[in-house]
Amino acid sequence: TRYFVDHRKVRVVGGRGGEGGHSFYSEPRKIYGGPDGGNGGDGGHVILKADRQMKSLSPVLPFYQGSHGERGGRKNCYGANGACVYVKVPVGTLVKEDGKVVADLTEHGEEYVAAYGGAGGKGNRFFLSNENRAPTLFTPGEPGQEKVLHLELKTTAHAGLVGFPNAGKSSLLRAISRAKPAVAAYPFTTLNPHVGIVHYQDYEQIAVADIPGLIKGAHQNRGLGMAFLRHIERCRFLLYVVDLSVSQPWIQLQDLKYELEQYKKGLSERPCVVIGNKIDLTQSRINLPLLKEQIDERVIALSALTGDNLEELFSHLRELYDTYVKTEQAQGQSPVKW
């Protein structure tokens, strides 16, 4: 399974410059032609390039290095420059170095030079002067820049499935999209976020993330802790998934909102809907009216296992998405498209 990755640590090294050439021109009847060693080529850069076709940082490798420049040649020939290495990243990638944001790639085709290649060395021709008519000095190429960067996606998905372990988030994502997260009857089946795409007849696509299960104390870094909460922070609206078959399911919702609010103030107030899962069970049908009495949010009761009432979820999910698009456009920003 190829997981969705929204955070990556990358070491980038620019290519080393080629060393300068060391030679003297010589041909018949012109023995003392003078120095003719050319300069070395510059090393290649490592360049991050935003690409709208990229949706995850999973293809990004942990190490990249630019090509080295070639050595300067005879007859004052310069060495070839090293080729640049282009690293494709999704639009909306933040580039951080030592905790500071150094680049924000928000447009398709936008580039950021992550590591510059080293300058090529000087050949002995460069050091020719009236005082030194036969210089033997030449310099090596300089090493390229070396950095450790942290790449982060500003947006994980449009909607995030938030719930405790075994609430049925992975089963629900399987039911509404083609994503295939693991499903099993034990906690923490999902350890990495999965993103599924919900398709509509007008060709709009809504990305829904199955985020690893939350436990009490997650804001204190218990369980998957901060990593879990960071994924949720990047979703535009939230789908709270509660297990209707347990006693007092509204307690789950209260605990979920408390953890989000402790992590970041206002996070629990994002547009949302409460999904009461496992409505196919008898106890769930008993608890449903009790849940609606206890909370103010809209409740969509469904069964990810049997597919009951998924149409209502599709309809409300589209309403949340359309509201998000209108809000972004009203603020003069471009909504995230998948």
Side-chain angles (χ1 to χ4, degrees):
T1 302
R2 193 167 205 178
Y3 300 115
F4 180 85
V5 177
D6 61 355
H7 183 273
R8 185 71 92 187
K9 181 180 178 181
V10 182
R11 179 169 163 256
V12 289
V13 181
R16 175 181 287 276
E19 66 178 17
H22 174 255
S23 63
F24 288 88
Y25 185 76
S26 179
E27 65 177 17
R29 295 182 299 277
K30 195 173 183 182
I31 301 175
Y32 301 107
D36 69 346
N39 298 338
D42 297 333
H45 310 320
V46 178
I47 301 174
L48 304 180
K49 186 173 183 177
D51 190 331
R52 67 167 64 98
Q53 299 298 326
M54 300 284 291
K55 302 301 180 184
S56 169
L57 291 173
S58 56
V60 178
L61 302 177
F63 175 74
Y64 289 95
Q65 183 172 26
S67 300
H68 301 311
E70 294 185 3
R71 180 176 182 174
R74 301 175 61 87
K75 299 183 180 179
N76 206 31
C77 290
Y78 282 36
N81 293 333
C84 295
V85 173
Y86 286 87
V87 183
K88 291 183 179 181
V89 297
V91 175
T93 299
L94 284 177
V95 185
K96 294 184 178 180
E97 183 181 7
D98 297 329
K100 297 181 179 179
V101 177
V102 294
D104 185 0
L105 306 178
T106 58
E107 300 291 337
H108 175 71
E110 190 174 355
E111 297 181 359
Y112 169 70
V113 181
Y116 285 93
K122 303 299 184 183
N124 63 337
R125 168 78 180 184
F126 178 81
F127 298 98
L128 177 65
S129 65
N130 289 333
E131 290 75 22
N132 187 1
R133 305 304 300 172
T136 57
L137 178 65
F138 64 97
T139 60
E142 296 180 2
Q145 279 186 324
E146 182 172 350
K147 297 180 182 178
V148 176
L149 302 175
H150 293 268
L151 307 183
E152 292 184 11
L153 278 183
K154 289 192 293 185
T155 301
T156 295
H158 296 121
L161 295 173
V162 184
F164 286 108
N166 285 96
K169 301 184 299 299
S170 298
S171 299
L172 181 59
L173 188 66
R174 277 174 168 260
I176 63 177
S177 72
R178 297 177 183 174
K180 300 298 179 186
V183 175
Y186 55 84
F188 293 109
T189 310
T190 303
L191 295 177
N192 296 279
H194 293 259
V195 174
I197 307 300
V198 180
H199 298 268
Y200 288 86
Q201 291 183 348
D202 60 352
Y203 303 106
E204 282 287 359
Q205 300 181 72
I206 301 178
V208 181
D210 171 23
I211 299 169
L214 177 71
I215 65 171
K216 290 183 179 180
H219 69 279
Q220 297 171 343
N221 216 21
R222 293 178 184 170
L224 299 176
M226 298 302 184
F228 157 83
L229 291 163
R230 189 184 67 240
H231 299 313
I232 295 177
E233 184 183 3
R234 295 174 186 156
C235 296
R236 302 305 187 186
F237 41 91
L238 305 179
L239 308 179
Y240 293 105
V241 183
V242 297
D243 185 351
L244 283 177
S245 64
V246 302
S247 62
Q248 297 182 322
W250 54 89
I251 301 296
Q252 296 182 43
L253 183 62
Q254 294 173 6
D255 291 340
L256 288 170
K257 288 192 172 184
Y258 174 78
E259 293 298 331
L260 298 186
E261 200 64 25
Q262 291 298 311
Y263 173 69
K264 183 179 180 181
K265 188 172 180 62
L267 186 56
S268 65
E269 299 174 0
R270 291 193 179 178
C272 68
V273 65
V274 178
I275 299 173
N277 195 17
K278 306 183 184 180
I279 193 61
D280 53 306
L281 303 178
T282 303
Q283 186 61 42
S284 298
R285 290 192 286 271
I286 297 173
N287 289 335
L288 178 58
L290 301 176
L291 175 62
K292 290 184 176 180
E293 291 176 2
Q294 293 289 333
I295 64 176
D296 298 327
E297 290 85 355
R298 178 176 177 177
V299 178
I300 298 177
L302 53 79
S303 172
L305 181 63
T306 63
D308 292 344
N309 206 28
L310 288 179
E311 293 79 8
E312 185 179 353
L313 174 60
F314 286 129
S315 176
H316 190 67
L317 185 63
R318 182 59 188 267
E319 291 176 12
L320 289 171
Y321 175 75
D322 289 341
T323 302
Y324 154 70
V325 171
K326 291 178 181 177
T327 303
E328 291 290 296
Q329 292 175 345
Q331 296 175 352
Q333 299 177 356
S334 299
V336 177
K337 296 286 186 177
W338 280 69

